[in-house]
Every structure is written in C-alpha cells, then in structure tokens.
C-alpha cells in the first residue's frame, strides 16, 4: 500500500499539478485604483509558482460585489488587461492559477462602492467593514428582490469568462466566510420565505445557480468552490450543517466541478462525513482561517490520511515564497508580519525571500 504525500503529482481537470500544495486565497489589498492588478501582484504570485495550484485573492465579480477597498476586479475590460501580466508571470515560472471570485454581499459599504450593499435579507453583518476612511459598522443591506437574485448568480459566470480571457486556468467561487453565497446558505442572514430561503433546498439554491452558471460559462473542469461549513464569520450561523452541506455537495457532484475547497470550521467528524459525501477532488484547509494555528506538514499529512487530495496553506505562503521546498526538506517556516497583511506597498509583500543556506 502506498501513502500519498504532499509531493506527489495530481491531475486536476486538464491540469497536472506537480505537487498537492495549494496556495490558499488571501486578501492583500494591493490593487490599484479601479480594481486593477499591478506589476507587484505579478511578482508576488510568480514568486510562489512552485505551488501545485495558486488560488488568487478574492476578486469582485461586480462593483456592488466589492467588499474592501484595494481589492481587484474582473468585471471590466481594463481589469482583464491588468491581470494578463500576472497570469503570464505565474505561467512563465511554471505555475497554475485560479481566480477566486468573491461577491461580498452585505459585507461592504457605500463609501467603498458608492452603492448600498445587497444581501439575501435586510440583516446587517456583525462587525466593522473596511472603508476608504477606515473601519465602519457594517450597514444594513438591501434585501434582493427575487427577480434580481439570478443576475448576481450570473455575475460569477461573467467574471469567470473574463478570468479565462485574462489567462487564469480556472476560477474558485468564494462560498465561504460570510460573503454572499455563504449569506444565502445561512439561517440567520437569509430570512427569505421564497424559493431562495427557508428549507435546505432553498438555502443552497443560490450557490447551485452561481456554480451552474459558471460551469456553463467556462466548464466544470475550470470551476471550484470554497466552503466553510458551520463557520461564523461576519455573524453568519447555519442550521442543519451536515444536511445543508450534504445536499449542496450532492448538487455540485451533478455539475462535475473541478474541486470543493473546505475550511476546518467545524468538528473533524463532520468534515470527514462531508468528504464521504463528496466524490470529487477535495482541497482541505486544515486549520481555522485567521485562527491561532498555522497549517504545517503535520496538519497536511493528517488530512491527506483522511482522504483529502490537496492541502491549502495560507499564512505560511506569505513569508515563504519557497514554501513547497521548505516543506519538502524540513526547513523552518518563517513567520509573517501581520502588520503588513493589508497595509499596501511592497514591504511584507515582495520582501520575503527563499531560504538562505549559510555555509
């Protein structure tokens, strides 16, 4: 019997990944005005191209979908053009990159987008959202009319087409962490009584429609989704987590998407049951995002043993552009400076180097 390791190759759709290390999506708030990708972003992702797969930071599929200032978009022609040097740099360094499509829904602010945020219901997120003038309380969103919901589902598909045009190898829909898809899955952010709310079938409908439209636009082999079962980011809560996510995974399996990307936001036994319910490729993020622990080799090997196919690493990739080699050879994992996560500029972004061997 052979044991799967992080350094075995893996076939994902039409791509052959040289290893099973995935760079997780992480907001770094470095885009230029107008949601444009920059030359520094090209360098940042190219430095990390030894990952089996890179998933980009969250990219808004529409202006109203923008959550934070300083994030990039994929809803305008100049944004597509700005991303092309980024994807080309990753490919030149031998890498593969998916764009994460992130509609913030209620986690936004009129000072950021010029528009009142929208959500499944008129229920504000818990916490302060980033705005151009600093943190402000999350505003109460406008509840989407039933006739409007499909256009927001289609916005992921439209952005996916632009992503492929920009040179990305595929897209990951951000269905986690309290953003729009997660808000529809939620039982306290989604108080709807129409076909998009109430029952499990109603609460998963928006997610299924967004994924279905994206698969139709760019193909299942180029479409993934990230989920945070039971997560409580931005004040969301989910009733019936095993039933809710088993139903969602059943629908996603019919759509033959490239992968499901799960976060460790609930007890391990629930996650293992969802692994059993999902017949396709599973990317596992083994620790709570922004939690006290950081994913290392031990956590990765544990989840490979539990049936995950690929393992995503977040913070470790910030300070370790050569993370794959450090994991392979047991070199120390450098810590990242949290103060530089969102401050802009190249410090704490392009200033981390590969491991320096001393004589």
């Amino acid at each position: 019997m052979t044991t799967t390791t992080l350094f075995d190759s893996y076939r994902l759709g039409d791509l052959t990944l040289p290893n099973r290390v995935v760079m997780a999506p992480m907001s770094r708030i470095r885009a230029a005005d107008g949601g444009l990708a920059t030359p520094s972003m090209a360098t940042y992702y190219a430095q990390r191209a030894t990952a089996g797969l890179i998933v980009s930071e969250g990219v808004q599929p529409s202006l109203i979908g923008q959550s934070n200032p300083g994030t990039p978009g994929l809803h305008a022609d100049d944004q597509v053009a700005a991303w092309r040097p980024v994807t080309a740099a990753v490919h030149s360094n031998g890498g593969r990159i998916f764009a994460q499509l992130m509609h913030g829904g209620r986690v936004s602010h009129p000072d950021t987008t010029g528009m009142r945020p929208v959500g499944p219901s008129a229920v504000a997120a818990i916490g302060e959202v980033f705005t151009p003038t600093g943190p402000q309380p999350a505003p109460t969103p406008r509840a989407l009319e039933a006739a409007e919901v499909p256009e927001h589902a289609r916005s992921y598909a439209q952005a996916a087409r632009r992503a492929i045009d920009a040179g990305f190898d595929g897209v990951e829909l951000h269905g986690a962490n309290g953003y729009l898809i997660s808000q529809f899955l939620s039982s306290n952010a989604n108080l709807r009584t129409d076909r998009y709310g109430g029952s499990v079938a109603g609460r998963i409908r928006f997610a299924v429609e967004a994924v279905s439209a994206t698969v139709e636009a760019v193909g299942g082999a180029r479409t993934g989704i990230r989920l945070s079962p039971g997560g409580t980011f931005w004040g969301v809560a989910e009733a019936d987590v095993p039933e809710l996510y088993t139903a969602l995974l059943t629908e996603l399996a019919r759509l033959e998407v490239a992968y499901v990307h799960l976060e460790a936001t609930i007890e391990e036994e629930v996650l293992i049951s969802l692994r059993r319910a999902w017949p396709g490729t599973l990317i596992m993020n083994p620790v709570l995002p922004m939690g006290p622990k950081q994913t290392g080799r031990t956590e990765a090997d544990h989840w490979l043993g539990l049936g995950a196919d690929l393992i995503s690493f977040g913070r470790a990739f910030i300070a370790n552009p050569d993370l794959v080699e450090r994991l392979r050879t047991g070199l120390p994992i450098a810590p990242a400076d949290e103060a530089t996560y969102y401050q802009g500029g190249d410090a704490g972004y392009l200033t981390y180097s590969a491991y320096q061997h001393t004589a």
Side-chain angles (χ1 to χ4, degrees), residues 12-18 45 49 51-56 74 83-84 86-101 159-172 214 218-224 258-259:
L12 180 70
D14 298 327
L15 300 173
T16 299
L17 314 186
Y45 285 114
L53 177 68
I54 293 171
V55 184
S56 81
L74 268 171
W83 274 114
R84 284 187 184 130
V86 180
T87 59
V90 170
H91 292 146
S92 293
N93 275 16
R96 295 135 301 276
I97 183 167
F98 274 37
Q100 190 191 60
L101 305 178
R161 284 195 194 93
R162 291 185 180 276
I164 300 305
D165 191 25
F168 284 97
D169 297 295
V171 297
E172 175 182 286
T214 305
V218 301
R222 296 196 285 201
T223 303
Y259 66 78

Side-chain angles (χ1 to χ4, degrees), residues 284-301:
M284 190 66 212
N285 192 328
V287 303
L288 182 69
M290 304 303 287
K293 285 188 74 177
Q294 186 168 299
T295 302
R297 184 71 191 271
T298 301
E299 293 78 17
D301 289 345

Side-chain angles (χ1 to χ4, degrees), residues 25-220:
M26 292 174 285
S27 293
R28 302 303 309 277
I29 316 298
R30 258 76 173 187
D33 290 347
L36 301 180
T38 67
S40 290
M41 289 164 65
T43 301
Y44 170 75
Y45 285 114
Q47 285 176 341
R48 290 153 179 81
T50 51
L53 177 68
I54 293 171
V55 184
S56 81
E57 64 211 274
V59 182
Q60 55 262 16
S62 60
L63 180 57
I64 199 168
Q66 182 175 1
S67 182
N68 301 315
T71 54
L74 268 171
H75 53 86
D77 291 346
D78 57 347
Q79 293 167 346
V80 173
W83 274 114
R84 284 187 184 130
V86 180
T87 59
V90 170
H91 292 146
S92 293
N93 275 16
R96 295 135 301 276
I97 183 167
F98 274 37
Q100 190 191 60
L101 305 178
M102 173 183 153
H103 190 312
R106 68 180 186 170
V107 185
S108 183
H109 198 278
D111 289 359
T112 299
T113 64
M115 292 177 276
R116 184 179 175 188
V118 296
S121 301
V123 180
I126 294 173
E128 293 187 320
V129 295
F130 296 105
T131 78
T133 55
Q136 296 193 49
T140 300
R142 180 177 68 79
L144 288 165
E145 300 289 339
E148 293 179 284
V149 174
E151 75 184 65
H152 289 270
R154 287 193 300 270
S155 73
Y156 295 92
Q158 291 157 355
R161 284 195 194 93
R162 291 185 180 276
I164 300 305
D165 191 25
F168 284 97
D169 297 295
V171 297
E172 175 182 286
L173 277 65
H174 197 344
N177 300 2
Y179 299 111
L180 186 62
I181 292 173
S182 172
Q183 290 158 32
F184 272 94
L185 294 171
S186 165
S187 45
N188 68 347
N190 181 354
L191 306 179
R192 302 177 75 96
T193 56
D194 63 6
R195 63 198 300 268
Y196 289 102
S199 66
V200 164
R203 280 158 48 211
I204 70 172
R205 192 180 307 278
F206 180 77
V208 173
E209 288 185 359
V211 174
S212 181
T214 305
V215 168
E216 192 175 326
V218 301

Side-chain angles (χ1 to χ4, degrees), residues 255-319:
L255 295 169
E256 298 183 346
V257 299
Y259 66 78
V260 165
H261 189 174
L262 288 183
E263 298 177 7
T265 41
I266 200 164
E267 296 86 359
E268 189 168 282
E269 59 264 30
V270 177
L271 294 168
I272 292 170
S273 73
L274 296 179
R275 162 73 282 191
R276 292 195 194 105
W278 170 242
T281 295
L282 176 67
I283 303 177
M284 190 66 212
N285 192 328
V287 303
L288 182 69
M290 304 303 287
K293 285 188 74 177
Q294 186 168 299
T295 302
R297 184 71 191 271
T298 301
E299 293 78 17
D301 289 345
H302 175 70
W303 263 102
L304 288 173
L306 291 176
D309 301 294
L310 306 166
I311 304 294
S312 64
F313 294 77
R315 286 163 285 181
F317 258 117
I318 292 177

Side-chain angles (χ1 to χ4, degrees), residues 311-335:
I311 304 294
S312 64
F313 294 77
R315 286 163 285 181
F317 258 117
I318 292 177
N320 302 274
D322 59 337
L323 180 63
V324 175
E325 188 60 20
R326 293 189 191 221
L327 291 167
R328 190 192 309 273
T329 56
L331 291 169
I333 306 298

